[in-house]
Amino acid sequence: MSSLTYDLTLAGLAVGSAAALTGIGLIVTYRATGVLNLAHGAVAMVCAYLLRHLTVEWHWPLWLAALVTLCVVAPGIGLALERAVFRPLAVLGGAPAQTLVASIGVFVLLVGGAALVWGPGARADAPELFGRAPWAPLGAALLLAVCVWAVTRWTRFGGELRAVVDNRALAVLGGIDADRVAAAGWAFGSFTAGLTGVLLAPYVRLDPYGLPLLVMEVVAVAVAARLRSLPLAVAVALGIGVAQSQLTRLHPAGWGEPLLQAVGANLFVVTLLVAALLLPGPGRGAGPDVLPRTATARVRTPHGAWVAAAVLFLLPLGFAGSDLHTAVQVPALGVVLLSLVVVTGRGGQISLGQAAYAGLGALFTALLAAGRFPGLPALPTLLALGVAVLLVAPLGLLTGWPACRRRGLALALATFAVGVGVSRFVFAQPYATAGLDLDRPAGLGDDRAYYVLELALLCAALLAVAALRRGRTGRALAALRDHEGGAAASGVPVPRLKVGAFVVGAALAALGGGMLGLGVRAFDPAAFDPVRGLLWFAAVVVLGADSLLGALLAAALLVGLDAGARGGVAAALIGVLAVLVGRFPGGPYEALRTATTRLRPRRTAPLTPLGAR
């Protein structure tokens, strides 16, 4: 027994050391730049893939591949991100919400790029840099923590870093090179991300989606330390790693066995939920913490655009049966993205957990139709879909309640934690999802007939969201988005309005998720993982968060590009658009308008003879 305890402790220290490195990198980047780098996991995944490619595919020596990956490529990625993405935002005084969207864009871009370059399949042959012993990773984490503490406390650079964090503009006036400080922070953060990915890759199956999500789960250690204390982050990481490893030998009996095993295997997720929902939210609150209105929301949509959209959505009715298998996903995803129009576009609230509500809609529909939902008999499919929407809508309180007390970064972490928790503790559990099939209603088994039903539900959702945007509630939501304090002073019931927006968003997401499940005739947990939620959020924001037409365009792009090309194209495109938020805060519309203006020939008035003289 003692030998087993010792072996499990060593394994836990190895995972905890990687988590500690993640916490150190995130805290240093945040303290140097004010940005919580949600793309940390994607950088880790790219570095792990690169090390594997250099050693397995190109047969480089491991030491040389590790040196190039960790000391050249990883810091280079950080410097490139600081220079091309986040420096324009800092110069323009970008709000925390905009920097958050940019970091999500980088995450989506790197995930999509990795899927394009290395393929979406999982790989189990990642090389081990330090072997299975945890002492080298543990020593690296402790050494980096001590070095960072010494630099920030006893060197001139540490004073400059604190000055830039407190007030960037004032630090620049004092002669401090804020760009140099930020670049150093990004380079160090990316180095720790690369080291984390290289250390974790041998313990998990390397794929473009799994490793980034795993690293994002261990963001819990930085959140628990409130993005400030390095010793606390290291202690939390090591403690969770050892505890999670020790809990693997527990095999409780009874009805709670699967749930307890899930909790024991996902202690980092539990910590993320507790830290994001119960502890005081991190963030300094500089600048507005809600998403600004994009240029597409300020310009009236021409009627011709709606006519073109109607023609494009009716066009699949003439397709062959095999082509309709993909087309049926577009209206369903459009309904899901309309939920983000309500919450994010109109209300200005950041919600990264809509994929959880969509998945619950599909899961509840399948359970109700199969007669497996506790306390309810088997229901007809359409009735099951309606009841599922009614059951999921109140669950919007899971994210609506934190929104009453949190904004910006803190709200984003809370909604993401809810999405990850639902994915790990519901969708990933066989007792809840095994053997679920979804049969379509009688007379709608054909894809063409079902597509007509989807179009009817999409039109109903569009009319409901349009009425909400135009009505009194919509005007109150717009006031909340533009200035929460002013809206509260004007008598707007801010907490009730926030909760209502998240409840309506959950209902719409559940409706779209149920439609997606009926489209593929099964419940697929992978279709609703948290990475999908990040991709959907980024797509809606960059294509017009407050635009109904933007949500439809995003749905068509996400489904059409991945169906007609290699997987990852849609994510890469959305990522490119999202990282441009610093240069074009108004989104693609503003970028297109600016490019058109520059390409238009300039007319110069001829000079008069007097002017020529």
Side-chain angles (χ1 to χ4, degrees):
M1 182 64 70
S2 59
S3 176
L4 177 61
T5 302
Y6 180 75
D7 292 340
L8 291 176
T9 301
L10 292 183
L13 286 176
V15 175
S17 300
L21 289 171
T22 296
I24 293 170
L26 288 171
I27 291 174
V28 170
T29 303
Y30 182 79
R31 290 171 63 176
T33 65
V35 177
L36 178 60
N37 182 22
L38 293 182
H40 196 89
V43 176
M45 175 268 300
V46 169
C47 292
Y49 259 112
L50 180 61
L51 180 65
R52 179 203 166 274
H53 191 86
L54 293 178
T55 55
V56 176
E57 303 292 339
W58 290 358
H59 306 291
W60 284 26
L62 180 59
W63 67 269
L64 179 60
L67 185 67
V68 171
T69 301
L70 298 178
C71 298
V72 178
V73 176
I77 293 175
L79 294 174
L81 293 180
E82 189 277 332
R83 183 66 182 88
V85 180
F86 294 99
R87 184 181 297 184
L89 280 172
V91 171
L92 295 175
Q98 288 180 304
T99 59
L100 184 69
V101 172
S103 66
I104 292 174
V106 173
F107 177 93
V108 171
L109 175 60
L110 293 179
V111 169
L116 284 173
V117 174
W118 290 292
R123 303 175 187 274
D125 55 349
E128 295 183 3
L129 187 59
F130 297 118
R132 294 285 175 172
W135 309 120
L138 179 61
L142 296 177
L143 178 63
L144 287 177
V146 171
C147 290
V148 170
W149 175 82
V151 168
T152 55
R153 186 174 180 86
W154 302 109
T155 66
R156 175 183 176 86
F157 179 80
E160 293 178 349
L161 187 148
R162 292 192 297 271
V164 171
V165 171
D166 291 338
N167 192 318
R168 181 186 178 98
L170 190 60
V172 172
L173 290 177
I176 296 176
D177 189 351
D179 292 337
R180 179 176 64 89
V181 174
W186 276 104
F188 180 82
S190 294
F191 165 75
T192 61
L195 187 56
T196 302
V198 167
L199 293 177
L200 285 178
Y203 293 92
V204 298
R205 292 179 65 85
L206 184 58
D207 69 89
Y209 302 97
L211 184 59
L213 181 58
L214 178 62
V215 176
M216 288 190 73
E217 291 173 4
V218 301
V219 170
V221 302
V223 179
R226 298 196 63 194
L227 298 175
R228 293 179 182 175
S229 174
L230 290 177
L232 181 57
V234 173
V236 170
L238 296 178
I240 296 175
V242 173
Q244 181 171 281
S245 181
Q246 293 292 340
L247 287 176
T248 56
R249 62 181 180 178
L250 297 181
H251 301 286
W255 63 270
E257 177 183 358
L259 182 60
L260 292 177
Q261 288 181 344
V263 171
N266 294 280
L267 279 186
F268 283 102
V269 178
V270 174
T271 306
L272 180 61
L273 282 166
V274 173
L277 297 178
L278 300 181
L279 297 182
R284 297 187 297 273
D289 281 339
V290 296
L291 293 171
R293 300 181 71 187
T294 59
T296 51
R298 296 191 293 267
V299 178
R300 185 179 180 85
T301 304
H303 295 293
W306 282 108
V307 173
V311 171
L312 289 176
F313 271 79
L314 291 174
L315 194 61
L317 293 176
F319 290 173
S322 58
D323 296 328
L324 271 172
H325 293 329
T326 300
V328 295
Q329 301 178 39
V330 179
L333 184 57
V335 175
V336 175
L337 299 186
L338 285 175
S339 69
L340 285 167
V341 172
V342 174
V343 177
T344 300
R346 201 60 179 173
Q349 306 302 306
I350 298 174
S351 178
L352 306 182
Q354 293 303 105
Y357 296 121
L360 287 175
L363 177 61
F364 285 3
T365 301
L367 292 175
L368 289 166
R372 291 172 52 180
F373 196 90
L376 291 176
L379 301 176
T381 305
L382 287 181
L383 181 58
L385 177 60
V387 174
V389 172
L390 295 177
L391 292 174
V392 174
L395 298 179
L397 295 172
L398 292 174
T399 46
W401 169 68
C404 296
R405 300 179 294 109
R406 286 167 162 78
R407 297 188 302 167
L409 174 59
L411 178 58
L413 289 171
T415 56
F416 177 74
V418 170
V420 174
V422 172
S423 175
R424 293 301 190 194
F425 298 124
V426 180
F427 300 159
Q429 301 309 312
Y431 68 87
T433 62
L436 278 180
D437 294 326
L438 270 171
D439 294 327
R440 295 177 185 171
L444 299 176
D446 180 65
D447 284 338
R448 187 169 287 103
Y450 179 69
Y451 187 76
V452 172
L453 173 64
E454 282 191 313
L455 290 181
L457 294 175
L458 176 61
C459 290
L462 284 170
L463 292 175
V465 176
L468 177 65
R469 292 169 72 245
R470 287 195 303 266
R472 182 177 180 179
T473 303
R475 292 192 294 271
L477 282 171
L480 171 66
R481 174 197 58 211
D482 294 338
H483 198 286
E484 182 175 327
S490 301
V492 174
V494 172
R496 187 173 64 189
L497 201 61
K498 285 184 176 181
V499 171
F502 277 96
V503 169
V504 173
L508 284 172
L511 176 60
M515 293 165 60
L516 280 172
L518 289 172
V520 298
R521 304 174 189 265
F523 173 73
D524 182 12
F528 306 104
D529 62 63
V531 176
R532 300 279 182 180
L534 297 179
L535 176 59
W536 295 348
F537 175 82
V540 168
V541 169
V542 300
L543 293 175
D546 198 20
S547 170
L548 302 180
L549 200 60
L552 301 183
L553 176 61
L557 283 177
L558 290 174
V559 175
L561 287 178
D562 279 345
R566 189 174 178 179
V569 173
L573 175 61
I574 296 300
V576 170
L577 295 177
V579 299
L580 293 177
V581 70
R583 301 193 180 272
F584 303 101
Y589 175 84
E590 183 180 341
L592 181 61
R593 185 177 61 181
T594 302
T596 304
T597 303
R598 290 179 178 178
L599 293 176
R600 187 179 302 162
R602 298 181 179 179
R603 296 182 179 181
T604 57
L607 293 174
T608 63
L610 178 61
R613 288 197 300 270

